[in-house]
Amino acid sequence: MTIEPLLKVNGLTKMYGARIGCADVSFDLWPGEVLAIVGESGSGKTTLLSCLSTRLEATSGSVEYHMRDGAYGELSRLTEAERRFLMRTDWGFVHQNPADGLRMTVSAGANVGERLMAIGHRHYGEIREAASDWLSRVEISPSRIDDQPRAFSGGMRQRLQIARNLITGPRLVFMDEPTGGLDVSVQARLLDLVRGLVHDLGLSAIVVTHDLAVARLLSHRMMVMKDGHVIEQGLTDRVLDDPREPYTQLLVSSILQV
Amino acid sequence: MSGLATYNFAYLDEQTKRMIRRAILKAIAIPGYQVPFASREMPMPYGWGTGGVQVTAAILGPTDVLKVIDQGADDTTNAVSIRAFFQKVANVEVTTRTKDATIIQTRHRIPEEKLTEGQVLVYQVPIPEPLRFLEPRETETRKMHALSEYGLMHVKLYEDIARNGHIATTYAYPVKVEGRYVMDPSPTPKFDNPKMHMSEALQLFGAGREKRIYALPPFTDVVSLDFDDHPFTVQSFEKPCALCGAEGVYLDEVVLDDRGGRMFVCSDTDYCEDRRAQGFLGDQGVPLKEAAE
C-alpha cells in the first residue's frame, strides 16, 4: 500500500496589490503529520493558513486535497457548497480567539453538537451523548454541558473549540496560534491534550505559531517564514537544533531561557 | 389623463400592484423562498401589517369578499382598522365568516374552520428570516438558504431542550417546505403549523418592513422541524372553550377580575360564534340570543 499526501501545495502565492502576502510556497502534507509554520509577526503565516483553508483566494498556485473518495480535488475549483461541506466535516479550524470559532450565546453542548446537526443528525439524545463524550475527552466536565462558553475560562474555551471541531472526525485541522493568550500552565495542558488527540486520531494538522516551544512540542516538521517566503523547512528537531539560515538562527537564539 | 394622483382601486397604483404580483408569482413558484420586493409606505405604521396589506391590495378584486383577523379575532383594533381601510379604498364586501371569505388577511392565526380551494390566506409577517436570531448577517443567511445549510435551526431546538427539557418554541415554529426551504410561518402559534401542511388554500406571507414576500401554494408539503426523540407536538388545552365548549381548538386566556378569575375561550371569534349559534354551550357561556338582548 502506498501512502499518498493529504495535501499537495504548489507555488501558492497571495499578493495584496503590489505587496506580498506569501510567495511561491510548495509542500506536501502527509496523513498523520503535524506541520508548524513559524515566523515573526507579519511574515505571512496567517495569510498562508487562510489560503490553504480556502478562507482567502490565492493569487496563483494550487492546493490539492486528497478527498475521501481517493481523488485529488483542486480546492479553488470546488463549488461553494462542496467547500463548505468539506470545512465542516473533513476539516477543522481552531482560531486564536475562541470567540471567533464558538457560538458564545449557545450552550457548550450545542456548540459541540452543531456539526453533527449540520450533517443531518436528528436524535437529541445521541447528539447530547456525543457532545458529552467529547467534552470529557477535552477535559471539560460533562456537568458543564449546558453552560455557555461565556462562563468558561480561556483555556476551557479553547478546548471547547477543539472538541467542536473534532466531533465529525476530521482528517485535517488548521490551527492559528492555538495557545495565544493562555498562561503557561494552561498552555502546557492544552499542548499535551492536542498532542494526545493528534496521536490517537491520526490527524494531520497545520499549526501556525510564533512560539517555537509550541512548534517543538506539537510538530513533526516545520517551515520558517520571513517576508512572505519560506526560508527553511525540515524536521522540527533538525531545524531547531541545527538551524541553517541566519534568520532561523536568530529566531532560535532569541528564545528566552529561564 | 390629468397626470395628478387620483383614486385607484385598493390604494396602490397599478404599477406597484404589478411589481407585488410579480413577487407573489415568484414566491409561489419557489415555495418557502423569500422574494425581495419594493415595499411601499402605507398609511399605517410598520408592525401593523403593512406587508399583509400590500399583498392583499395587490390581489384584491372588486368581487372579492374580505375577512381580516387579528389573533383570530375579527373585532380587535388591527382587524377593524385594516377592514375599514379596504372598505374605504376598494369598497369590497367584507365579512367575519370564514367560509364566505375569498381573501383572509391574518395576524398570527389560521381560522379553525378548514380553508378550501379558491381561498387565499394572507399573513402579516414581522421577521421573515427564520435564521435571523441565530445568524445576524443577511449575506450569510442567504448563503445558508441557497446551500440548504439548516443545521443551525436544530441548534436552536437543541438549546430549547437543553434548557427546558422539551422544545419550548411555541410560536414562529420553523417549518421545512417541500423538503427544501426552511421558513418562518410568521408568529402563529405552533398549534396552526399542521394546518399549513397540504392546505387547499393559497397562503401568502408579506413582510413590509423587511421587504419580503413568500408563499405556500395549495397542497404544499410543510413539515415542522424536530428531533427523532423529541417529536413536534402542538399545544393541548385542559378544558374546552368556556363559551362554546369546543375542544381541539386554540384558546385564549381572558382575565375576568383582579381576584384570579379567568377563563379560556376560542381565539377564533367567528368559529366560537358559529358554534354558539348552533346551540353549543360552554360552562360559562350564554346562548347567543340572550347575549344580544
Side-chain angles (χ1 to χ4, degrees):
Chain A
M1 197 182 105
T2 55
I3 298 176
E4 289 174 294
L6 192 62
L7 202 66
K8 293 199 275 194
V9 183
N10 212 334
L12 196 67
T13 302
K14 173 69 188 176
M15 303 294 291
Y16 293 111
R19 282 179 297 116
I20 296 173
C22 62
D24 199 24
V25 178
S26 304
F27 67 91
D28 287 344
L29 183 75
W30 298 83
E33 183 181 42
V34 179
L35 174 71
I37 304 173
V38 301
E40 62 191 9
S41 295
S43 60
K45 311 184 295 273
T46 301
T47 297
L48 176 59
L49 192 74
S50 300
C51 287
L52 293 173
S53 58
T54 71
R55 301 177 149 251
L56 259 183
E57 200 181 337
T59 313
S60 63
S62 71
V63 183
E64 285 175 285
Y65 181 67
H66 195 217
M67 301 288 181
R68 290 210 184 212
D69 63 8
Y72 279 95
E74 163 63 50
L75 294 180
S76 60
R77 291 213 200 93
L78 294 181
T79 63
E80 177 132 33
E82 290 170 330
R83 192 173 66 77
R84 286 170 69 112
F85 184 74
L86 195 67
M87 288 190 80
R88 65 167 186 262
T89 53
D90 223 16
W91 289 5
F93 199 107
V94 178
H95 294 262
Q96 174 172 9
N97 179 3
D100 295 340
L102 293 172
R103 289 189 190 280
M104 298 303 279
T105 52
V106 304
S107 68
N111 262 298
V112 179
E114 180 176 346
R115 277 177 165 227
L116 289 182
M117 292 183 248
I119 58 172
H121 284 243
R122 292 292 177 262
H123 193 283
Y124 174 81
E126 286 169 15
I127 292 167
R128 198 170 166 82
E129 203 170 302
S132 156
D133 177 45
W134 267 100
L135 285 181
S136 50
R137 286 175 81 166
V138 296
E139 298 167 15
I140 296 174
S141 160
S143 66
R144 310 271 327 244
I145 192 166
D146 291 332
D147 291 351
Q148 292 187 0
R150 284 192 292 208
F152 286 8
S153 69
M156 281 170 80
R157 287 181 191 182
Q158 201 55 287
R159 296 202 296 273
L160 183 64
Q161 198 190 175
I162 290 169
R164 172 180 161 90
N165 275 288
L166 295 186
I167 193 163
T168 48
R171 293 189 299 158
L172 176 58
V173 179
F174 299 96
M175 297 188 199
D176 189 4
E177 306 274 7
T179 56
L182 301 178
D183 67 56
V184 185
S185 61
V186 175
Q187 250 187 46
R189 267 181 72 195
L190 187 77
L191 287 173
D192 209 36
L193 174 78
V194 171
R195 202 155 64 146
L197 287 172
V198 164
H199 183 261
D200 294 347
L201 304 170
L203 287 175
S204 300
I206 297 179
V207 184
V208 160
T209 180
H210 61 266
D211 188 338
L212 291 178
V214 170
R216 168 85 93 178
L217 271 170
L218 279 183
S219 68
H220 304 116
R221 206 150 58 89
M222 68 191 282
M223 291 192 335
V224 183
M225 290 189 76
K226 185 173 190 298
D227 300 333
H229 294 270
V230 174
I231 55 166
E232 184 165 356
Q233 59 174 309
L235 295 177
T236 302
D237 290 343
R238 203 283 290 155
V239 173
L240 291 179
D241 294 341
D242 179 22
R244 287 182 192 160
E245 292 292 318
Y247 175 73
T248 317
Q249 290 169 4
L250 184 74
L251 212 59
V252 172
S253 63
S254 58
I255 297 175
L256 283 178
Q257 302 292 335
V258 186
Chain B
M1 287 288 281
S2 65
L4 284 171
T6 49
Y7 169 79
N8 193 42
F9 179 77
Y11 188 77
L12 295 173
D13 62 90
E14 290 306 311
Q15 286 303 315
T16 299
K17 287 189 196 171
R18 198 172 131 121
M19 173 273 294
I20 294 172
R21 286 174 196 146
R22 277 167 172 261
I24 293 173
L25 286 175
K26 184 169 179 183
I28 292 171
I30 318 172
Y33 172 71
Q34 301 165 45
V35 183
F37 79 111
S39 176
R40 298 291 193 252
E41 290 284 332
M42 296 304 281
M44 60 182 73
Y46 284 134
W48 282 50
T50 54
V53 167
Q54 288 179 73
V55 170
T56 302
I59 61 170
L60 196 65
T63 55
D64 272 314
V65 181
L66 181 69
K67 170 181 163 81
V68 184
I69 52 173
D70 171 7
Q71 308 278 8
D74 294 279
D75 53 3
T76 50
T77 319
N78 198 270
V80 170
S81 59
I82 292 175
R83 191 162 56 227
F85 174 75
F86 279 113
Q87 270 178 304
K88 190 167 189 175
V89 300
N91 197 29
V92 288
E93 196 184 329
V94 294
T95 182
T96 58
R97 300 179 68 83
T98 302
K99 59 172 158 300
D100 295 342
T102 55
I103 298 174
I104 303 171
Q105 181 171 333
T106 174
R107 174 169 173 264
H108 317 342
R109 269 317 305 281
I110 299 175
E112 301 293 353
E113 194 170 324
K114 189 167 178 287
L115 299 179
T116 54
E117 209 175 311
Q119 290 185 306
V120 183
L121 189 59
V122 179
Y123 295 78
Q124 303 169 194
V125 182
I127 293 170
E129 179 51 73
L131 301 162
R132 176 58 67 238
F133 293 110
L134 304 158
E135 175 53 66
R137 289 168 295 176
E138 176 70 14
T139 48
E140 185 67 12
T141 53
R142 285 208 204 183
K143 207 172 270 178
M144 290 160 82
H145 281 295
L147 302 173
S148 1
E149 282 181 10
Y150 293 126
L152 205 50
M153 214 67 249
H154 275 85
V155 171
K156 176 180 151 61
L157 300 180
Y158 174 98
E159 278 294 282
D160 257 10
I161 303 173
R163 285 188 200 167
N164 306 295
H166 60 98
I167 297 178
T169 303
T170 52
Y171 65 96
Y173 192 103
V175 293
K176 196 162 206 178
V177 180
E178 286 291 321
R180 177 59 180 86
Y181 285 98
V182 164
M183 185 189 95
D184 182 343
S186 87
T188 52
K190 67 177 178 179
F191 184 86
D192 287 339
N193 276 15
K195 293 184 198 160
M196 293 183 181
H197 177 64
M198 291 293 160
S199 166
E200 286 178 31
L202 170 64
Q203 301 173 77
L204 303 175
F205 299 76
R209 182 187 53 211
E210 303 289 324
K211 302 179 170 58
R212 294 289 184 278
I213 286 174
Y214 50 105
L216 296 172
F219 303 105
T220 299
D221 189 50
V222 178
V223 179
S224 304
L225 300 181
D226 59 5
F227 283 104
D228 295 345
D229 49 347
H230 286 266
F232 172 79
T233 52
V234 298
Q235 293 100 327
S236 59
F237 298 89
E238 287 167 12
K239 283 203 255 177
C241 170
L243 294 178
C244 74
E247 293 188 43
V249 295
Y250 194 74
L251 303 181
D252 281 341
E253 182 180 8
V254 179
V255 175
L256 298 173
D257 51 39
D258 58 1
R259 296 184 302 279
R262 61 197 59 211
M263 65 175 179
F264 288 87
V265 299
C266 288
S267 114
D268 185 340
T269 52
D270 171 59
Y271 182 78
C272 199
E273 276 167 24
D274 202 39
R275 272 179 61 88
R276 280 190 287 157
Q278 289 170 31
F280 291 100
L281 211 56
D283 54 8
Q284 292 179 63
V286 271
L288 211 52
K289 276 200 187 121
E290 280 175 42
E293 278 163 9

